[in-house]
Amino acid sequence: MGQMGQGHPASTLAMHGVTGASQARLGWYLLVVSLVVVVVVCLLLGASAWRARRRRAAAEERELVHPGGSGLAWVMVGGIIVPAIVLTATFVFTVATLHANAAPWRPPAATIRVVGHQWWWEVHYVGGSPAAEVVTANEIHVPVGEPVRLVLSSDDVIHSFWVPEIAGKMDLIPGKTNETWIAARDTGAYEGECGEYCGVQHSHMHLRLIAEPPDRFAAWLAAQRRPAATGTAPSAGAQAFFSAGCASCHTIRGTRAGGRVGPDLTHLMSRRTIAGGTLENTRGNLAAWVTDAQGLKPGARMPTLAVQPDQFQQLLGYLETLR
Ligand code: CUA
């Protein structure tokens, strides 16, 4: 469902996550049991109507009304014994699923703090010293086959973290921290959405979960840990970034840009998308986003800044150095 169309389609019936798979199994079980119950009840209703009609016709012929004596057996078997078996099995399966999803089978390989914003995802990789903390946005890398702990909170309103192929939803609630865990069973890029209406751009609050082999994940994390690879002398592009006011909302680690309102841009070019996952990260889309964020995503917190025309290309050039 993600607009980029590069990752897997967001289907809750595909089972690429450990918890998602067990939830989907329970869902299939409930669907099949419900269908069987509906079909059996309909067949019995039809049969009893047909029998009643035949009996009435026979009674009219012989002036005799003599209902069968099997009513009590039907009530015992169909009304008590069979429902008790079906509901007990459903209860046991549900509790077993809840239990299996409560905690991962081994300690999580990473802890990722996700903060919901109108309308993007702030993503922190917690570990070691605060200086080693990685901050990124909208694209969450995880090692495949490993459980990962998610710590979820919100900066404004209620959002919901949802990567349908990997796991069920978990809300991000202001003033509260929710915890859950996920584990991707297969490598790939999985589309995610905000699953709770959160304002005018709710439907443009995409995320993408990128499950990759543990060594590639470790290399990605190490690269993200580095400060921005910008030269020591401030370039004309960096000056354009600061004079346009970008630094009051965005952080670029390793520079004096330390704004906390918008996404961390330290390794902007390592992301495939911008604008809450709505645009591919190309020079053209970056230019459009900087000059007309309100036209592309009305209501977004990204303002339209007065960038001097001669500084504009330098600013774009600078953003493209943030690899
Ligand atoms: Cu965030 Cu809907």
Side-chain angles (χ1 to χ4, degrees):
M1 271 179 44
Q3 291 200 338
M4 301 295 93
Q6 293 163 349
H8 291 245
S11 163
T12 50
L13 300 179
M15 303 178 184
H16 295 292
V18 171
T19 54
S22 78
Q23 290 157 0
R25 271 194 297 275
L26 179 62
W28 279 115
Y29 166 83
L30 291 172
L31 179 69
V32 169
V33 166
S34 312
L35 277 175
V36 168
V37 167
V38 166
V39 167
V40 167
V41 166
C42 286
L43 286 176
L44 288 174
L45 265 176
S48 80
W50 182 73
R51 266 184 64 183
R53 235 179 100 168
R54 277 197 39 183
R55 201 177 286 137
R56 235 187 348 262
E60 275 166 18
E61 273 177 29
R62 287 180 274 140
E63 291 184 85
L64 178 76
V65 177
H66 182 65
S70 63
L72 189 64
W74 275 107
V75 169
M76 290 302 291
V77 174
I80 297 175
I81 296 173
V82 172
I85 292 170
V86 170
L87 292 177
T88 304
T90 303
F91 176 74
V92 169
F93 198 176
T94 304
V95 170
T97 302
L98 284 171
H99 180 73
N101 290 346
W105 69 97
R106 70 169 117 143
T111 294
I112 303 173
R113 194 157 65 80
V114 180
V115 183
H117 293 267
Q118 287 174 316
W119 290 276
W120 60 282
W121 307 85
E122 180 183 340
V123 182
H124 295 251
Y125 287 77
V126 184
S129 62
E133 184 165 316
V134 161
V135 189
T136 181
N138 306 321
E139 295 183 3
I140 302 180
H141 289 244
V142 296
V144 71
E146 302 269 0
V148 168
R149 182 164 157 256
L150 292 180
V151 180
L152 307 171
S153 61
S154 171
D155 189 45
D156 36 50
V157 300
I158 299 175
H159 304 273
S160 190
F161 184 92
W162 191 32
V163 184
E165 289 186 305
I166 299 296
K169 295 177 189 175
M170 175 70 82
D171 280 0
L172 297 85
I173 298 171
K176 180 173 164 44
T177 301
N178 278 343
E179 278 196 31
T180 186
W181 65 279
I182 54 170
R185 301 204 297 197
D186 309 294
T187 55
Y190 302 97
E191 300 296 329
E193 305 286 335
C194 176
E196 175 85 28
Y197 181 72
C198 57
V200 63
Q201 289 295 345
H202 156 70
S203 63
H204 290 153
M205 189 168 166
H206 305 294
L207 69 118
R208 174 176 285 172
L209 191 89
I210 297 145
E212 50 198 3
D215 54 334
R216 279 190 60 185
F217 169 73
W220 174 84
L221 195 61
Q224 294 286 316
R225 253 188 205 125
R226 288 198 290 271
T230 52
T232 43
S235 64
Q239 275 163 6
F241 183 86
F242 285 100
S243 63
C246 309
S248 47
C249 290
H250 295 285
T251 289
I252 298 176
R253 279 171 279 138
T255 75
R256 61 192 166 84
R260 307 294 307 212
V261 178
D264 185 302
L265 301 181
T266 309
H267 297 288
L268 171 67
M269 299 315 289
S270 71
R271 299 177 209 150
R272 285 185 245 179
T273 59
I274 57 169
T278 53
L279 297 172
E280 268 188 79
N281 190 1
T282 62
R283 187 181 175 99
N285 282 341
L286 272 176
W289 184 243
V290 169
T291 49
D292 190 22
Q294 293 304 313
L296 292 163
K297 197 170 172 180
R301 301 293 185 251
M302 170 87 176
T304 300
L305 297 171
V307 184
Q308 301 304 315
D310 57 321
Q311 291 190 330
F312 184 57
Q313 295 302 327
Q314 294 168 337
L315 172 61
L316 286 180
Y318 175 62
L319 293 177
E320 286 183 322
T321 67
L322 301 173
R323 304 201 161 271

